[in-house]
Amino acid sequence: MRVVLDHITKRFADVTAVSDFSATLNDGELVCLLGPSGCGKSTLLNMLSGILPVSDGKIFFDDEDVTMLPPEQRGIGLVFQNYALYPHMTVLGNICFPLETQHVPKEERLARANEIAKLVHVDMLMNRRPAELSGGQQQRVAIARALVKNPRLLLLDEPLSNLDARLRLEMREEIRRIQQRTGVTTIFVTHDQEEAMSISDHIVLMKLGVLQQNDLPQNLYNEPANQFVADFLGNPPINNLPGTVSGGAFITEEGDGVVKMPLFEGIADGRKVNLSVRSESFVLDPDGPLACEVTRVYQMGKEEMAYFKLGECDFRAYIDADEGLKVGNRVRLNLKKRGVFVFDRETGERIK
């Protein structure tokens, strides 16, 4: 099912949690709502589910306007951060419960529950209660309970945040597997960029309730729409070298580092910019435009993480360990084509 968010706004008194948000989420995809805490991800999810009313705008499931429909009429499955399983019920009882409320006959309930239990790998736990399950098992049961209704849309609100690192990795792979097996359109809320990059078909990145970019995961990394997107995606974070453009050259903020290269041609003189470069996008080049000093070197196997100073600007780069860099070396660096951007320092707008 395709989901269309048409100029959605949500206000709480004087606070606007989501502002004029428009996006189309494709049928059968796993889409991650990504962003820092407080950016409006869960608020948007709750409007999709019908738990929160929309202040302005419309929500469409395919061509059906569901903006005013209550949750039980939207055909959604919702998995919460804390699982919200019924402690007095067995796994089987928890999975069957949504079908009981829909008055599905018992024989059909059991058949559907057993089918879904096998899909999420809890079919050997059907007689246990939630207190007897691990966190990962509880999460699987919560997903099974959401899927047993054959929802048009599956909504997952930070479903892995209560798990340890190893279980998070295992469960995100399981969620991807289950989503691909079922083909149900799925929206997954997370603040973890690695989580989003690894399992999603598309990422919707938010900041302060405003859409920043809706794109393929690798496009957010390789072609960020603005400074916030470039800063949010990537580990280690992107290097931001502040400076001013003058005569087609980049001059560092303190004026003692000058970079002249075609990248800065056509940018107005005096414009304050960030030269933003991924750590893997530097290369040693004796004729390169960046004259730097090595300030620190950390061994990382076949690569080194080297820290450099350009004028008074500090940045880090991955360099082949065979280069044998030493602290105090004066070297020149060049930039690869990919992973190099110029942003306006005041607005965050991408210039190049």
Side-chain angles (χ1 to χ4, degrees), residues 1 18 38 51 65 84 102 105 192 195 226 252 265 299 314:
M1 182 185 69
V18 176
I51 292 173
D65 184 349
Q102 295 175 353
D192 186 323
E195 211 161 75
N226 56 43
T252 59
E265 293 174 1
Q299 299 297 326
D314 295 297

Side-chain angles (χ1 to χ4, degrees), residues 250-314:
F250 172 81
I251 303 171
T252 59
E253 187 138 288
E254 292 75 13
D256 49 6
V258 180
V259 180
K260 190 168 182 63
M261 56 191 305
L263 182 65
F264 302 102
E265 293 174 1
I267 300 177
D269 283 0
R271 190 165 187 180
K272 295 183 182 299
V273 300
N274 276 336
L275 171 59
S276 299
V277 186
R278 301 282 183 201
S279 295
E280 66 272 18
S281 296
F282 294 96
V283 60
L284 285 173
D285 180 351
D287 300 316
L290 283 72
C292 311
E293 179 183 353
V294 180
T295 59
R296 283 176 285 165
V297 180
Y298 296 98
Q299 299 297 326
M300 303 179 69
K302 67 177 182 178
E303 292 179 316
E304 296 173 334
M305 174 64 79
Y307 285 71
F308 299 89
K309 186 176 284 290
L310 173 69
E312 292 301 314
C313 295
D314 295 297

Side-chain angles (χ1 to χ4, degrees), residues 105-229:
K106 183 176 180 180
E107 187 174 331
E108 183 182 345
R109 288 201 308 264
L110 294 175
R112 283 166 62 176
N114 281 299
E115 180 184 356
I116 290 294
K118 287 178 182 177
L119 176 68
V120 302
H121 298 164
V122 296
D123 49 308
M124 303 298 291
L125 308 171
M126 299 295 263
N127 294 319
R128 295 189 188 181
R129 286 182 165 74
E132 301 173 280
L133 304 177
S134 69
Q137 290 169 337
Q138 290 184 51
Q139 186 59 272
R140 290 170 190 268
V141 175
I143 292 171
R145 186 178 60 186
L147 287 173
V148 78
K149 299 182 294 182
N150 295 324
R152 296 192 290 172
L153 179 66
L154 179 63
L155 305 174
L156 307 173
D157 191 5
E158 302 240 22
L160 309 181
S161 58
N162 291 336
L163 305 179
D164 62 40
R166 185 172 179 178
L167 263 180
R168 283 176 74 101
L169 179 60
E170 177 186 321
M171 278 306 303
R172 77 188 189 202
E173 291 171 350
E174 276 297 288
I175 286 171
R176 182 55 169 162
R177 179 188 67 82
I178 292 164
Q179 190 274 331
Q180 289 180 324
R181 281 284 302 277
T182 61
V184 64
T185 304
T186 300
I187 301 175
F188 182 111
V189 166
T190 182
H191 61 271
D192 186 323
Q193 56 158 310
E194 183 182 337
E195 211 161 75
M197 292 287 286
S198 65
I199 67 170
S200 56
D201 294 302
H202 273 80
I203 293 176
V204 175
L205 181 58
M206 301 177 66
K207 175 189 177 186
L208 299 176
V210 177
L211 174 66
Q212 301 297 306
Q213 191 166 348
N214 175 12
D215 216 328
L216 300 172
Q218 205 58 38
N219 284 352
L220 269 78
Y221 188 80
N222 290 331
E223 298 294 339
N226 56 43
Q227 183 78 69
F228 173 78
V229 179

